[in-house]
Amino acid sequence: MSMEMTVLALGCIFGIIQVFVAAQLQTRQNGLAWSLSSREAAGRRQRPSSDG
C-alpha cells in the first residue's frame, strides 16, 4: 500500500475513534437516560456554568 493510502486509512480510523470517544464522554457527562431521550419536546438542556 502506498504512503498516501496508509495515511488516508489511519486518518479514517482515528476519525471514527474520535466520534466514539466523544459519544462516550457525552454519555458519561449527561447520563444514559438523557443520551437516549428525545430532544424535540423537552428543549435543550442547560450546561452547568463554570463561575465557581
Side-chain angles (χ1 to χ4, degrees):
M1 192 174 351
S2 69
M3 183 62 137
E4 291 86 5
M5 293 300 288
T6 303
V7 171
L8 177 64
L10 287 174
C12 291
I13 290 170
F14 288 140
I16 291 170
I17 290 172
Q18 181 180 0
V19 168
F20 283 122
V21 168
Q24 284 292 328
L25 293 175
Q26 186 70 27
T27 300
R28 185 174 294 176
Q29 179 180 358
N30 295 325
L32 186 60
W34 183 83
S35 294
L36 297 176
S37 67
S38 173
R39 310 288 186 283
E40 294 180 10
R44 188 161 176 90
R45 181 177 174 186
Q46 297 295 323
R47 292 183 176 225
S49 65
S50 60
D51 292 335

